[in-house]
Amino acid sequence: TSDEFQELEATWAEIAFAESEVGPRERLAYLYGVHTAVMTKDFGLIHGPPFNEKTEFDRIVPTVLVEPRSQDLDFQYGHYVLAPLVMTAIDSLLMKHGTGTSVEELLRAVHAGKGGNFIATLSTLLPRTDADAVNRWITGDELIPSELIIDR
């Protein structure tokens, strides 16, 4: 939905446009730790709120596409952890494949009415295997590779 896409964009922008280089790296490392914990079901990797209630943690549905009646932690995870990680990983893939564009440029095109659908555009820029992986990350079906987040 457009609301989900706005969350995807906004949570990424908070990291991408931060003025400090250290803050975003620390934030991405924290988010990736939560992502790893959720995707591997390893509660031992969680060190604080809001994910530190085991019963709720165990019920997290890992997707950016959070259902309206989902528990609060699904929204917390999907919007504020997974969404910025997906966008950061997409940016890394665009660089890796030498596409000559970035998430920022694609979003500017979308907002100017020149870019069409953001996700559909990715399928024209990335190899099929990577475009398919992006969809699996969005739906929480696959752990995002750390090298696209931490070592970028």
Side-chain angles (χ1 to χ4, degrees):
T1 67
S2 62
D3 288 344
E4 297 296 331
F5 187 77
Q6 286 175 0
E7 287 294 338
L8 189 74
E9 185 177 6
T11 57
W12 166 80
E14 290 174 1
I15 294 169
F17 299 122
E19 294 193 17
S20 160
E21 284 188 32
V22 175
R25 286 183 191 180
E26 290 174 353
R27 181 75 179 149
L28 286 170
Y30 164 75
L31 296 177
Y32 194 78
V34 173
H35 174 58
T36 301
V38 168
M39 295 301 291
T40 62
K41 308 280 188 213
D42 187 349
F43 184 71
L45 297 175
I46 298 297
H47 302 292
F51 300 98
N52 61 335
E53 179 61 46
K54 182 153 178 30
T55 304
E56 291 181 18
F57 173 87
D58 289 340
R59 293 184 9 230
I60 292 173
V61 177
T63 180
V64 172
L65 311 171
V66 182
E67 294 292 327
R69 293 190 179 113
S70 297
Q71 70 166 340
D72 185 54
L73 271 194
D74 290 346
F75 286 98
Q76 291 289 323
Y77 177 76
H79 291 172
Y80 305 114
V81 175
L82 188 55
L85 291 176
V86 167
M87 295 296 267
T88 300
I90 289 169
D91 214 23
S92 293
L93 288 175
L94 292 169
M95 285 187 290
K96 174 184 169 184
H97 292 294
T99 62
T101 192
S102 65
V103 165
E104 178 183 355
E105 290 170 8
L106 293 176
L107 290 173
R108 287 185 186 279
V110 166
H111 286 287
K114 301 174 187 172
N117 179 290
F118 180 84
I119 300 298
T121 300
L122 290 177
S123 67
T124 67
L125 296 169
L126 298 174
R128 176 120 181 126
T129 55
D130 285 340
D132 289 346
V134 168
N135 286 318
R136 289 190 302 275
W137 302 336
I138 289 170
T139 58
D141 293 322
E142 183 176 302
L143 180 72
I144 299 169
S146 64
E147 64 269 12
L148 296 176
I149 305 296
I150 304 300
D151 303 327
R152 52 183 250 120

